[in-house]
Amino acid sequence: MLELGVFHNGAVDLPLIQSEPDGVPVPDASIEEIHESYRRITHRQVRESILAEQLGFNYMFFTEHHFQPEGAEYSPDPIVVQAAIASQTKKIRLGQMANILPWWHPVRLAEQAALLDVLSGGRLEFGIGRGYQPREAEVFGKPFGATVQDQERNRRYFDEAYELILKCWTEPSFSHQGEFFQIPPSYTRWHHWGTMGFFNQPKSERTIDDVLNLSPADMYSMAAAAPLYATTTTLKELSVFPQPVQKPYPQFWEPVNSERSINWCVSRGMNCFTVPDSNERVKHNVAVYYEEAEKNNWPDRLNRGPWKYGWDAEKKRGYGCCRWVHIVPPGPNAEAETARYKRALEHQWNYYSPFGIAALLADPGEEPPDAYALIQADLVIDKGLAFIGTADKVIDDIMNVKEIVGYDDFMFTPWFEGSTYSADEVEEQMHMFAADVMPALAGACGGLVENDPVDVDLQPRVAEPVS
């Protein structure tokens, strides 16, 4: 069986020029024009998600990125935008690749993500990542002690944030004492009669002694007239609301590149996802994922046992694959359109390249490209990361991934949007894919999964006339 997603990274819809002195592609725009473009992109993310559902796609994935005048990517809060999408859709599943845990207070992120699951009727696919761009990481991570410039510290923060989110989503009330967080802080006064009353009744699942450290009056209280502060009673546990609709919690995902990250995901029952990896690297990584899953007795949030190789469409478990896709119909404009799209690819890849991502273009054991050389689109295409051409060529390229990796069921996510392309142009690509590519893929994979609609009524009741 086949499942299809759409990946949206938020590149500007503005023309590009070659910058001096290195010839790097950048937007031909002012800062204000970048702002205007990103405002349009925000609306496009909603539009294209609604269209994706109408066309039969199963998932919509957004990234999280900030502060970019360079125009390669924009998506500062995927959960907020997907809440808007949830109110206008019923089927498409809403994922992030990814929410960057070291940039958030984990309890706040747990609340926001759970709200999206509630608003969407249980359609959250919760993606998490560690981040890699210091301009973002050091700004957002500093208040929490997280940093991307110390990878081991980053990993320790990431692990603790993940643990906290799980507690928020699965425990009626909890405490946490870690390296980065103490929740609730030990000095939190809370001599509140409502709290004592609630936990004194048998349905509450926890007791007063679980939740409160009851203590005598405090004659030195800063507000003796306020009962909350007039004792030394402190809070031992807290509850986070809401918890998600999906039980025991929504499926976690992580975009991965290293074996260490893959193994971490496997041990915690997560799905993995890949974008900038050659086909041979995807093949290697999927093999690592499944070897580790078997060693760990198939970790899964629902304890369903082994799942199919590569992807299991029924269990929605495994390792998803994403590729840039651009259909170019034959005709007199084909050559110019191909050149334009290659230019868009080079804009994005040469933004990523200074972070070392060009190394992922190398197959396992192969020498990576020169880290200080501009990435050419032909290399990205040759490594099987971008499919450009007629619908038939795109079909062959996508099925080639399935064959090389050895997928049983197939979870494939095209990346349609790109630098310079307008909303109309991207939506045209989506329509062409649905009409000319999707049926062939579904036929070759044993059918396309159709998402069930959720039953969430967000429409107000029409008031009856007053007699």
Side-chain angles (χ1 to χ4, degrees):
M1 295 294 287
L2 173 70
E3 289 197 282
L4 291 169
V6 176
F7 187 84
H8 199 291
N9 197 40
V12 293
D13 54 1
L14 299 168
L16 302 173
I17 57 170
Q18 284 185 299
S19 64
E20 299 295 340
D22 298 320
V24 177
V26 296
D28 184 13
S30 66
I31 290 285
E32 179 52 36
E33 288 171 324
I34 298 289
H35 279 297
E36 291 172 357
S37 178
Y38 285 157
R39 293 180 195 118
R40 291 191 294 271
I41 297 300
T42 303
H43 288 281
R44 282 176 51 178
Q45 288 179 330
V46 177
R47 279 180 49 173
E48 289 164 23
S49 299
I50 295 169
L51 176 60
E53 175 172 288
Q54 293 170 351
L55 295 175
F57 289 90
N58 305 100
Y59 302 84
M60 191 76 189
F61 292 109
F62 293 162
T63 59
E64 182 187 352
H65 284 294
H66 309 262
F67 313 141
Q68 291 195 17
E70 301 88 359
E73 49 194 8
Y74 158 85
S75 187
D77 198 331
I79 287 176
V80 167
V81 177
Q82 289 182 337
I85 295 163
S87 71
Q88 300 184 65
T89 57
K90 291 288 188 181
K91 292 184 178 182
I92 197 159
R93 302 195 64 81
L94 303 170
Q96 309 84 42
M97 289 299 166
N99 299 291
I100 308 303
L101 296 195
W103 304 349
W104 291 85
H105 192 295
V107 176
R108 191 73 179 105
L109 182 59
E111 288 179 330
Q112 284 189 272
L115 282 167
L116 177 57
D117 199 52
V118 171
L119 287 169
S120 67
R123 289 184 283 148
L124 172 66
E125 300 286 330
F126 190 61
I128 59 175
R130 296 194 300 114
Y132 64 93
Q133 299 187 22
R135 181 173 58 189
E136 301 169 317
E138 307 314 318
V139 170
F140 287 120
K142 183 177 180 181
F144 311 124
T147 174
V148 77
Q149 297 175 151
D150 179 340
Q151 284 292 301
E152 292 311 309
R153 185 179 180 88
N154 180 282
R155 286 181 182 274
R156 290 289 292 273
Y157 182 97
F158 183 77
D159 289 356
E160 187 171 333
Y162 164 76
E163 179 185 344
L164 253 171
I165 290 170
L166 274 185
K167 287 183 175 181
C168 293
W169 285 355
T170 60
E171 298 185 18
S173 69
F174 69 90
S175 63
H176 176 88
Q177 286 74 43
E179 185 173 355
F180 296 92
F181 295 98
Q182 182 180 28
I183 296 173
S186 60
Y187 51 82
T188 306
R189 291 198 181 189
W190 197 259
H191 192 81
H192 196 290
W193 54 37
T195 304
M196 290 183 278
F198 180 80
F199 287 103
N200 197 39
Q201 51 95 15
K203 285 186 177 180
S204 65
E205 299 180 281
R206 303 294 282 166
T207 69
I208 293 175
D209 289 337
D210 290 328
V211 175
L212 295 176
N213 181 22
L214 293 170
S215 298
D218 178 12
M219 63 183 295
Y220 299 108
S221 170
M222 65 178 181
L228 187 74
Y229 296 105
T231 75
T232 54
T233 296
T234 53
L235 189 64
K236 293 166 63 177
E237 294 186 348
L238 55 75
S239 303
V240 174
F241 300 95
Q243 288 185 338
V245 172
Q246 298 180 77
K247 300 300 178 187
Y249 49 84
Q251 179 65 52
F252 279 80
W253 296 69
E254 186 178 354
V256 295
N257 300 117
S258 71
E259 290 189 17
R260 182 177 178 182
S261 294
I262 293 170
N263 292 342
W264 188 90
C265 289
V266 169
S267 68
R268 290 157 178 82
M270 294 187 188
N271 290 345
C272 287
F273 192 84
T274 191
V275 182
D277 281 314
S278 71
N279 287 339
E280 290 298 326
R281 284 182 62 90
V282 177
K283 178 181 179 180
H284 171 79
N285 290 348
V286 170
V288 169
Y289 184 85
Y290 276 80
E291 288 168 11
E292 191 69 14
E294 188 172 14
K295 287 179 190 175
N296 285 270
N297 197 30
W298 304 97
D300 179 58
R301 68 192 175 102
L302 296 173
N303 299 314
R304 294 169 292 183
W307 54 91
K308 294 178 183 178
Y309 191 82
W311 185 252
D312 190 315
E314 181 181 357
K315 296 177 179 176
K316 300 188 182 301
R317 287 287 282 117
Y319 199 115
C321 181
C322 176
R323 291 290 183 260
W324 280 269
V325 170
H326 194 74
I327 299 170
V328 182
N333 298 323
E335 185 175 348
E337 180 55 29
T338 300
R340 179 189 173 194
Y341 192 74
K342 286 183 177 181
R343 188 70 168 157
L345 275 179
E346 289 169 353
H347 173 227
Q348 293 190 307
W349 269 90
N350 287 295
Y351 176 77
Y352 307 140
S353 190
F355 304 109
I357 291 183
L360 301 177
L361 290 166
D363 294 333
E366 185 180 39
E367 190 71 23
D370 182 352
Y372 294 94
L374 292 178
I375 298 297
Q376 303 300 314
D378 286 339
L379 176 61
V380 178
I381 296 166
D382 290 344
K383 288 298 181 180
L385 273 76
F387 305 152
I388 308 173
T390 64
D392 286 343
K393 181 182 183 304
V394 167
I395 293 166
D396 290 343
D397 287 341
I398 294 172
M399 292 306 300
N400 189 47
V401 176
K402 184 177 188 298
E403 182 178 344
I404 289 174
V405 177
Y407 278 97
D408 286 338
D409 291 341
F410 194 21
M411 194 279 182
F412 180 77
T413 299
W415 181 343
F416 295 113
E417 53 89 20
S419 312
T420 78
Y421 285 88
S422 69
D424 288 346
E425 290 173 313
V426 173
E427 290 167 18
E428 182 182 21
Q429 285 289 318
M430 295 172 68
H431 279 287
M432 286 193 291
F433 186 93
D436 302 331
V437 176
M438 195 182 290
L441 298 181
C445 296
L448 175 65
V449 172
E450 182 176 349
N451 291 0
D452 293 327
V454 298
D455 184 18
V456 177
D457 186 4
L458 299 176
Q459 299 301 313
R461 182 180 63 85
V462 177
E464 297 178 2
V466 177
S467 59

